[in-house]
Amino acid sequence: MLSSFWIRNDKVKQVTRLNLYQALVKSIILYNCGTWSLTKQEEHKLNTFHLRQLRTILNIKYPTVIKNNALYQKTDETPISLTILKARWRLFTHILRQVINTPPNVAMTKYFKTKGSKRQGQPKLSSVTSLRRDLKSHNTDHWPNRLPVHSIKDLDHEQI
């Protein structure tokens, strides 16, 4: 089988396996991820899958234990959820830089201007709710320095 060839350290170098994983698997998993609105459980599942793949690439099996941070350092990778967060904010800042009459800006303006009655039940997950959750929960030290939005008040402000 191809997996026996893939896992053997003497046939394919670790750097080559990591490059192939990034090019063939990770790029497909993260396609268009800037538009995703994921729950915490879905983010956790993606992170778990990513860690499992990295452990497989390094040929780390059950009795051997390695901490997640050590695994990320060894493979020079970051959690998938952090990659999705950066892509989401990169897309949002791209939308903000566009002309006001473009369809994404019009949609964002309408979203923020509508003040309808609240729906019953759990609120729907959207890109804007994901952005708000990101602002509340994540540390902004690893974000790009030139974000136009620094707080929830800035997000609600009518710059859009």
Side-chain angles (χ1 to χ4, degrees):
M1 271 188 99
L2 200 57
S3 63
S4 62
F5 176 77
W6 173 256
I7 300 302
R8 290 181 59 187
N9 290 334
D10 59 340
K11 297 288 183 186
V12 181
K13 292 182 181 179
Q14 176 181 326
V15 175
T16 306
R17 285 182 281 169
L18 285 170
N19 287 338
L20 285 171
Y21 170 72
Q22 288 176 352
L24 300 174
V25 179
K26 191 175 176 185
S27 63
I28 292 172
I29 290 171
L30 294 177
Y31 176 74
N32 212 11
C33 67
T35 60
W36 296 353
S37 297
L38 300 174
T39 62
K40 289 293 183 184
Q41 184 179 11
E42 291 166 340
E43 283 183 7
H44 177 70
K45 285 181 181 182
L46 281 171
N47 283 332
T48 304
F49 172 78
H50 180 56
L51 285 167
R52 191 171 357 124
Q53 296 301 312
L54 292 177
R55 283 187 174 90
T56 302
I57 288 170
L58 295 181
N59 201 12
I60 298 173
K61 296 186 177 152
Y62 167 64
T64 309
V65 177
I66 186 171
K67 295 192 179 219
N68 295 341
N69 291 336
L71 183 64
Y72 284 134
Q73 286 179 348
K74 190 171 186 176
T75 57
D76 197 28
E77 286 281 332
T78 58
I80 290 279
S81 58
L82 184 60
T83 307
I84 293 170
L85 175 113
K86 288 180 181 178
R88 185 182 304 132
W89 280 93
R90 193 169 40 246
L91 176 66
F92 182 64
T93 55
H94 176 69
I95 290 171
L96 289 178
R97 285 190 306 266
Q98 291 181 351
V99 181
I100 294 174
N101 296 335
T102 58
N105 270 333
V106 171
M108 290 294 256
T109 303
K110 285 185 179 180
Y111 180 87
F112 283 104
K113 295 231 181 198
T114 55
K115 301 260 192 236
S117 61
K118 293 199 173 203
R119 297 181 62 230
Q120 190 174 16
Q122 185 173 2
K124 294 284 184 186
L125 195 58
S126 68
S127 297
V128 177
T129 57
S130 296
L131 292 170
R132 282 191 176 134
R133 185 185 67 203
D134 294 343
L135 281 174
K136 285 181 184 176
S137 64
H138 285 83
N139 186 2
T140 58
D141 292 341
H142 55 269
W143 291 5
N145 293 337
R146 302 185 72 192
L147 278 179
V149 177
H150 298 289
S151 69
I152 295 173
K153 290 179 184 176
D154 292 340
L155 187 62
D156 287 331
H157 188 61
E158 293 183 20
Q159 293 177 341
I160 299 174

